[in-house]
Amino acid sequence: METLADLASPIAIGVLLGGLYVVIALGLSLVFGVMKVINVAHGDLVILGSYFAYVTSTSWGLDPILSLVVGIPLFFVMGIFIEKFLVHRAFRMSVDAALIIAFGISLIIQNAAQLVWTPLSRGLMTSYTLESLKIGDVYLPVVYLVDFAMALVVVLAVHQFLKRTYLGQAITAASQDSETAQLMGINPARVYQIAFGIAMALAAIAGVSLALTFPFTPKSGVPFLIIAFGVIILGGLGSMVGTFIGGMIFGLSQTLGGHFLGPTGQLLVPFVMVLVVLTIRPQGLFGR
């Protein structure tokens, strides 16, 4: 008979792991919410962020989190460039064309990463990578706590940006009705570029969190893209708050599934939940 004490560890780890999934899924949710485009390259862009942190850590000796001082603005500019010269031109033709372009970007990143860094698994080692905090009988890995803290900071920052700044309100307006927003003096094309740039900056942050938590290879973007899809489907496509709740639900169901069903059941439970939500409420728990 399971007791609450037996479940304390998987519940705590599940919540913290959900923080990592929130950070990974947030950029994907933002792009869909604004442009109504599913960026299938997002997982590989996150892995590109992991490799950037790996390079700055091994070559410059920077702490991976400090590397974001360079990584966030660099990825933001890259996002604007990708949206302006690749995604937007296809987006003007059709959403399907933009999807194909994103798929092409995904393949390019995967193959380029294999050429530069080889298919071998990489990871980030820091002074706190193997450290844990003991709370009662539960050991909490420090990197999981860092992931959760980053999730809280990023979600609050994006939420406040969208709610309180003119540019954020312009992004929200363009996502709701681009034609009316244009009549009000908002340039939807420019808004899409900024939103994609922010999503790329979020991918840089997610890449650091992922690399601190798990080993990664050039092909690791695909499974984490699938997890990110599950998170935003649970929470609601385009919803920032929903993405956060969806990440918590996904992380909890994964660790509890592994606890009761063994390692093979870790991803079975969350994706069954995704299918149930799609059947009962296709817009997600917090979607409109």
Side-chain angles (χ1 to χ4, degrees), residues 142-164:
V142 170
V143 289
Y144 280 50
L145 293 169
V146 170
D147 292 339
F148 189 78
M150 292 177 71
L152 286 176
V153 170
V154 169
V155 169
L156 288 174
V158 172
H159 179 72
Q160 292 300 310
F161 169 77
L162 294 176
K163 183 178 180 180
R164 298 186 180 277

Side-chain angles (χ1 to χ4, degrees), residues 11-91:
I11 289 174
I13 296 297
V15 170
L16 298 180
L17 183 61
L20 171 63
Y21 294 158
V22 169
V23 178
I24 294 174
L26 205 58
L28 183 67
S29 180
L30 179 63
V31 169
F32 181 86
V34 175
M35 300 178 63
K36 304 301 182 286
V37 171
I38 297 176
N39 180 15
V40 294
H42 182 73
D44 297 290
L45 294 171
V46 169
I47 296 301
L48 187 62
S50 297
Y51 277 112
F52 177 81
Y54 173 79
V55 169
T56 56
S57 177
T58 55
S59 301
W60 301 348
L62 282 179
D63 183 277
I65 296 176
L66 291 179
S67 72
L68 290 173
V69 175
V70 179
I72 289 175
L74 176 63
F75 273 63
F76 177 78
V77 173
M78 286 172 54
I80 290 178
F81 178 87
I82 290 172
E83 201 286 331
K84 182 176 182 179
F85 295 104
L86 295 175
V87 176
H88 186 68
R89 295 188 179 190
F91 181 66

